[in-house]
Amino acid sequence: MENTIQLEELFDAKLERGEFIEPKDWMPEKYRKTLIRQISQHAHSEVIGMQPEGNWITRAPSLRRKAVLLAKVQDEGGHGLYLYSACETLGISRDEVIQQLQSGKAKYSSIFNYPTLTWADMGAIGWLVDGAAIMNQVMLQRTSYGPYSRAMVRICKEESFHQRQGYEIMCVLAKGSPEQKAMAQDALNRWWWPTLMMFGPKDAESSNSAESIKWKIKRETNDELRQKFVDRTVPQAEHLGLTVPDKDLKWNAERNSYDFGEIDWEEFWNVVQGNGPCNKVRIENHVRAHEEGKWVREAAAAYAAKKAKAAQVQVA
Amino acid sequence: MPAMSETSHTKALFEILLRLGDNSLVLGHRLSEWCSKGPILEEDLALANISLDCIGQARLLLTYAGETEGKGRSEDDLAYGRLSADYRNALLVEMPNGDFGVTIARQLYYTVFADLLYSALRQSTDAQLAGIAAKAHKEIQYHLRHCTEWTLRLGDGTEESNRRIQKGFDELWAYTGDLFATTEADTQLVQAGIIPDVAALQAAWKTQIENILSQATLTLPQGTWMQKGSRQGIHTEHLSYLLGEMQSLTRAYPGASW
Ligand SMILES: [Fe+2]
Ligand SMILES: [Fe+2]
């Protein structure tokens, strides 16, 4: 008992000094659990996020756009891999966390439960969704768990390209024909609020937030990040000549920030709980690919085992 | 023999560049259909990588085709503005992905061919084509390693994987002869040292495929009847669907830029 208290003091002191917690260090069980939940959720978001954008790769309207979009979606898969590895350092296997995703026990970012209906959605996702993810991920580069932080540093290098390609798609559409401009506006209308929801519940209602801040897993609160995002994105929408779909949005000179309207929290909780337009489809697709790939994974394992055995026989 | 007229030379080169570019484009498109559907995440990324290389090759080749034609058509005009009858890709690459075994079988048949072809194209007397080929050939080395390794794993993995990939090789066999079909354009450009004689690559191709398949405990299909038609723009039923999907947006908004 005393031992645990001592260890906990050491752990707290480390956090206090701003040092990283590494896989071999002692850590409170709750800290480990919180990290597993957060990192696996983050990994699943990268992987499930491949679906809505993957939906338009075969229909991208130019070869350059096709290549850029495919490269972007491939990056997201790579982020999933880094994060699954970071998660494994906490003592949980990739198989197990994937199992949790497929059973619905583990969540992923709700934003990917919205459908991609037009090409402009590729612009809106890059610009808004990657833009919001960057806010979160830049903060997480300074998270207290070493492997998570290092994964974030790698990921952030690629994310700015994602946002740029999305914004560029929007720029071209906004300057294009009236139909293209309408397509861009429609995408902004559909993606704006779900993007604001990405930052999570309000601080007052967020059960995990306070503890995550205390443990320096998170460095800024949901509401702080959301405000930052709005302040950065509204001028970009203006530059595009598009209208943010919020009648309460206005500049507050006193706060030096934008005031904005209330999120539809009923929709937020419904999508989290599985009632979003695409929750079922996303998981079904993931399960189907996993099941259809089973014989391939088995073959690879059987072949590797044969080769290992043959190598052993040779050595003997 | 009369000297080849400039217009017929241009036409021949245009045809061959379309053939090369369309192969890369259609195969790249097929591979991109795997996105988020791969058997494991690592493989999703590998197929995306190969697809990206193919699309990159297609862009260079179609751009050059447009320049050769001299009517101001861009890579996108050629990719998005032609229907299947004007596409010149081999029948093999338009075949649907099927299961992972079919995809790997298609990939091996094509990549062994591409390796031989692009290796020779590096020596083309057409400097621009030689340059494109040098870059592409490096990429093809990686693609070849990838599909050879998978052929070995699946062939010599489990009973099920052996059965599935063998089926892939069997079903696609009849589409391989078309890779080596030639037209008048070949005759012209072979003489000028711009391209190798593709028909002459077939023997080496068959030996190499046979070696890899036997290493993988698989059998080389024995059928002798081969489907044909791609050189005349007569494709399988699959291509028009692929193009219909690829071109849906550009056809819905004619003249728009993206
Ligand atoms: Fe990402
Ligand atoms: Fe991203």
Side-chain angles (χ1 to χ4, degrees):
Chain A
M1 197 63 203
E2 210 160 308
N3 198 16
T4 311
I5 293 171
Q6 272 180 3
L7 288 167
E8 194 141 13
E9 276 169 6
L10 265 167
F11 173 85
D12 287 342
K14 249 188 167 172
L15 285 184
E16 199 49 50
R17 289 194 300 271
E19 287 172 26
F20 283 133
I21 307 300
E22 294 298 339
K24 291 211 165 63
D25 294 345
W26 182 90
M27 60 188 85
E29 208 36 43
K30 190 97 193 294
Y31 176 84
R32 182 190 303 275
K33 286 221 169 90
T34 302
L35 275 170
I36 288 177
R37 185 176 49 76
Q38 186 173 329
I39 300 174
S40 67
Q41 184 172 318
H42 195 159
H44 300 327
S45 303
E46 301 281 0
V47 171
I48 295 293
M50 294 169 79
Q51 289 183 37
E53 288 181 286
N55 185 33
W56 282 88
I57 289 170
T58 55
R59 290 177 289 173
S62 75
L63 296 184
R64 185 173 82 87
R65 292 278 176 223
K66 194 187 203 66
V68 170
L69 182 61
L70 180 55
K72 194 254 184 197
V73 176
Q74 186 198 28
D75 277 355
E76 305 298 10
H79 298 172
L81 277 185
Y82 306 157
L83 288 163
Y84 283 132
S85 302
C87 211
E88 281 180 325
T89 65
L90 291 159
I92 186 163
S93 73
R94 188 164 139 196
D95 282 346
E96 203 174 329
V97 294
I98 286 176
Q99 197 44 49
Q100 291 176 351
L101 167 70
Q102 296 189 341
S103 71
K105 190 183 164 216
K107 300 280 180 229
Y108 53 88
S109 181
S110 272
I111 193 77
F112 300 120
N113 289 319
Y114 289 86
T116 52
L117 303 178
T118 71
W119 172 252
D121 291 15
M122 300 304 99
I125 290 183
W127 171 38
L128 300 174
V129 175
D130 286 87
I134 289 169
M135 296 270 151
N136 205 28
Q137 293 176 153
V138 163
M139 163 190 81
L140 288 172
Q141 292 184 88
R142 296 175 294 129
T143 192
S144 58
Y145 186 57
Y148 194 22
S149 160
R150 289 188 287 274
M152 279 306 136
V153 171
R154 288 175 77 180
I155 287 173
C156 281
K157 280 193 191 127
E158 294 171 353
E159 286 298 344
S160 57
F161 145 68
H162 296 177
Q163 203 202 8
R164 230 177 312 120
Q165 64 91 33
Y167 193 68
E168 200 203 322
I169 290 174
M170 292 305 264
C171 280
V172 172
L173 293 175
K175 288 191 205 106
S177 68
E179 287 129 307
Q180 285 177 304
K181 187 165 181 189
M183 196 191 276
Q185 180 64 54
D186 164 66
L188 174 57
N189 293 347
R190 284 181 291 108
W191 290 95
W192 175 256
W193 290 105
T195 303
L196 294 192
M197 294 177 196
M198 282 175 71
F199 296 96
K202 284 189 178 176
D203 294 345
E205 274 131 56
S206 175
S207 48
N208 304 317
S209 206
E211 199 157 54
S212 289
I213 295 271
K214 183 190 108 195
W215 279 333
K216 300 189 177 174
I217 294 175
K218 289 184 69 162
R219 299 285 187 147
E220 288 162 273
T221 70
N222 296 353
D223 286 336
E224 284 165 359
L225 288 169
R226 187 159 24 233
Q227 182 71 59
K228 241 188 187 176
F229 174 79
V230 171
D231 290 344
R232 211 182 78 168
T233 311
V234 170
Q236 294 171 346
E238 280 166 2
H239 180 254
L240 289 170
L242 299 176
T243 312
V244 173
D246 177 358
K247 60 177 174 24
D248 299 321
L249 183 77
K250 63 172 186 299
W251 179 249
N252 182 329
E254 230 165 86
R255 288 201 305 119
N256 206 24
S257 246
Y258 283 94
D259 292 335
F260 55 96
E262 190 65 31
I263 285 170
D264 181 349
W265 294 107
E266 199 192 336
E267 177 179 322
F268 172 82
W269 288 113
N270 266 286
V271 180
V272 169
Q273 280 147 24
N275 295 329
C278 298
N279 297 57
K280 269 191 73 185
V281 182
R282 301 288 185 242
I283 291 298
E284 275 168 16
N285 286 343
H286 194 275
V287 170
R288 189 182 325 113
H290 196 70
E291 281 172 2
E292 284 175 357
K294 188 166 173 256
W295 68 272
V296 178
R297 296 191 299 276
E298 283 171 358
Y303 180 78
K306 275 186 208 176
K307 289 290 128 181
K309 209 171 157 194
Q312 243 176 19
V313 170
Q314 263 189 353
V315 170
Chain B
M1 182 172 279
M4 182 193 313
S5 79
E6 200 169 318
T7 51
S8 88
H9 174 85
T10 299
K11 270 179 86 175
L13 184 58
F14 179 61
E15 182 185 325
I16 297 295
L17 289 170
L18 283 186
R19 194 191 289 173
L20 297 171
D22 290 348
N23 274 342
S24 296
L25 175 58
V26 172
L27 185 64
H29 184 98
R30 278 290 185 230
L31 292 173
S32 79
E33 292 172 356
W34 270 103
C35 187
S36 80
K37 301 184 185 76
I40 31 168
L41 190 48
E42 284 82 350
E43 197 45 33
D44 239 312
L45 304 188
L47 292 175
N49 240 332
I50 298 170
S51 171
L52 277 169
D53 285 344
C54 291
I55 294 167
Q57 292 161 12
R59 295 185 62 191
L60 294 173
L61 290 160
L62 292 179
T63 298
Y64 186 28
E67 289 164 9
T68 302
E69 187 194 32
K71 290 183 185 164
R73 286 205 278 182
S74 67
E75 58 181 55
D76 288 330
D77 292 332
L78 288 169
Y80 291 87
R82 286 176 301 147
L83 294 172
S84 68
D86 290 323
Y87 262 73
R88 285 294 176 269
N89 62 279
L91 303 177
L92 177 70
V93 295
E94 72 201 42
M95 296 306 281
N97 287 338
D99 68 10
F100 189 68
V102 173
T103 291
I104 293 299
R106 185 185 64 201
Q107 199 64 17
L108 190 78
Y109 280 154
Y110 174 76
T111 310
V112 170
F113 163 77
D115 179 38
L116 292 165
L117 175 60
Y118 279 84
S119 172
L121 283 173
R122 291 178 301 172
Q123 267 81 58
S124 172
T125 52
D126 181 306
Q128 193 164 342
L129 181 55
I132 296 172
K135 180 177 182 292
H137 188 251
K138 280 194 199 123
E139 296 164 348
I140 290 165
Q141 302 311 292
Y142 159 71
H143 304 173
L144 183 59
R145 210 174 330 129
H146 171 265
C147 60
T148 304
E149 280 169 9
W150 271 114
T151 301
L152 296 176
R153 278 188 207 113
L154 298 180
D156 196 14
T158 64
E159 226 169 278
E160 182 183 7
S161 68
N162 179 281
R163 176 172 52 75
R164 283 181 185 257
I165 193 162
Q166 182 68 58
K167 188 163 169 263
F169 281 112
D170 291 347
E171 282 175 1
L172 294 172
W173 178 248
Y175 297 93
T176 58
D178 175 69
L179 289 167
F180 304 96
T182 57
T183 65
E184 182 51 33
D186 288 83
T187 319
Q188 285 193 26
L189 297 193
V190 170
Q191 274 173 11
I194 293 174
I195 59 167
D197 177 6
V198 281
L201 302 176
Q202 192 161 10
W205 175 84
K206 197 173 168 189
T207 309
Q208 226 174 302
I209 294 287
E210 197 163 14
N211 285 340
I212 297 168
L213 291 195
S214 88
Q215 238 194 94
T217 70
L218 296 164
T219 9
L220 188 76
Q222 293 303 316
T224 51
W225 175 255
M226 290 288 160
Q227 304 297 338
K228 53 182 188 290
S230 74
R231 302 301 187 238
Q232 286 71 42
I234 300 168
H235 288 272
T236 67
E237 287 183 344
H238 306 294
L239 184 62
S240 60
Y241 286 97
L242 182 152
L243 296 179
E245 183 173 343
M246 185 172 102
Q247 300 170 347
S248 57
L249 209 48
T250 50
R251 291 197 182 278
Y253 301 92
S257 40
W258 303 93

